[in-house]
């Protein structure tokens, strides 16, 4: 990105203002970037932890596999999922609040005695799976924001700040050269005038 400027004081002042804005914003952006990086890691770790918990829960019921064959999964359905949101480093992230289940009426005498436990197990598994999904979504949102912030940090740090500094240096040099030339020209004129006065 080339920085457009003119070789004059107004352009120099305008560039200096823009440079100051970026130099002030940079530490804040860097802090935001590291906060987001930490939050992404936390969300990723939590999602992995929930994934592990889900696999462990499923393993606990491996010996019940034969029984699950007679369980009617249509007895339990999700009637609603309530999410709230929390702002983390300026990013709205989801939080699983409650999962509402609907259990269809069934005749307790016609079904095996373990069905109520089966319903509770299913609800627990679904809750863990949904919570993991929410943490994965949270991780994606935070990671997207982190990437955008990193891009901005790099833009300021590697492109704009050095670009503005370079442009200001060029203008400064140009104005100094112009002033020196002007002084030299005045000196020449003065010397000429003095010589003319001496000869006349």
């Amino acid at each position: 990105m080339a920085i457009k400027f003119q070789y004059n004081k107004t352009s120099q002042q305008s560039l200096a203002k823009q440079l100051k804005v970026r130099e002030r914003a940079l530490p804040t952006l860097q802090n935001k970037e590291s906060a987001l990086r930490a939050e992404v890691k936390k969300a990723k770790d939590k999602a992995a932890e929930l994934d592990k918990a889900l696999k462990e829960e499923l393993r606990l019921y491996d010996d019940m596999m034969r029984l699950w064959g007679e369980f009617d999964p249509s007895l339990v359905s999700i009637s609603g999922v309530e999410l709230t949101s929390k702002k983390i480093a300026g990013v709205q992230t989801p939080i699983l609040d409650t999962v509402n289940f609907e259990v269809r009426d069934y005749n307790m005498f016609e079904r095996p005695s373990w069905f109520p436990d089966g319903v509770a197990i299913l609800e627990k598994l679904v809750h863990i799976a949904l919570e993991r999904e929410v943490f994965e979504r949270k991780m994606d949102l935070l990671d997207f924001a982190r990437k955008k912030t990193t891009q901005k940090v790099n833009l300021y740090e590697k492109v704009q700040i050095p670009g503005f500094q370079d442009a200001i240096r060029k203008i400064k040099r140009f104005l100094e050269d112009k002033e020196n030339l002007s002084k030299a020209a005045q000196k020449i004129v003065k010397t000429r005038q003095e010589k003319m006065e001496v000869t006349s």
Side-chain angles (χ1 to χ4, degrees), residues 61 64 67-68 70-73 75-76 101-125:
Y61 308 116
M64 284 177 67
L67 292 175
W68 281 111
E70 57 189 50
F71 187 75
D72 180 4
L75 285 176
V76 186
F101 294 97
E102 202 172 294
V103 181
R104 222 180 54 213
D105 288 335
Y106 62 92
N107 189 328
M108 295 282 281
F109 301 106
E110 290 175 5
R111 303 284 187 174
S113 59
W114 66 272
F115 261 39
D117 290 338
V119 167
I121 289 166
L122 207 55
E123 286 179 356
K124 185 178 182 182
L125 292 172

Side-chain angles (χ1 to χ4, degrees), residues 10-113:
T10 311
S11 186
Q12 186 183 2
Q13 286 165 348
S14 166
L15 291 174
K17 262 185 207 162
Q18 291 177 68
L19 175 63
K20 199 173 273 182
V21 165
R22 280 152 183 82
E23 285 175 337
R24 273 205 206 114
L26 189 60
T28 308
L29 284 169
Q30 287 166 328
N31 288 342
K32 183 180 178 177
E33 182 192 21
S34 58
L36 283 167
R37 185 171 277 120
E39 288 297 334
V40 166
K41 192 189 178 314
K42 263 196 247 173
K44 189 179 180 180
D45 291 349
K46 185 67 179 170
E49 189 184 301
L50 288 163
D51 194 49
K52 191 180 169 195
L54 185 62
K55 282 173 183 158
E56 279 172 10
E57 281 291 325
L58 285 167
R59 219 180 359 260
L60 289 176
Y61 308 116
D62 270 354
D63 51 349
M64 284 177 67
M65 267 320 187
R66 195 179 45 78
L67 292 175
W68 281 111
E70 57 189 50
F71 187 75
D72 180 4
S74 72
L75 285 176
V76 186
S77 61
I78 298 169
S79 60
V81 176
E82 289 170 36
L83 295 170
T84 52
S85 66
K86 182 184 177 190
K87 221 174 204 180
I88 297 173
V91 183
Q92 286 288 0
T93 61
I95 295 171
L96 182 64
D97 216 14
T98 47
V99 182
N100 299 310
F101 294 97
E102 202 172 294
V103 181
R104 222 180 54 213
D105 288 335
Y106 62 92
N107 189 328
M108 295 282 281
F109 301 106
E110 290 175 5
R111 303 284 187 174
S113 59

Side-chain angles (χ1 to χ4, degrees), residues 164-181:
F164 282 123
Q165 288 169 337
D166 189 46
I168 291 167
R169 242 189 327 272
K170 283 177 182 169
I171 296 170
K172 216 172 179 179
R173 246 184 246 134
F174 175 82
L175 293 174
E176 282 169 0
D177 288 350
K178 194 177 165 188
E179 197 181 333
N180 290 340
L181 280 171

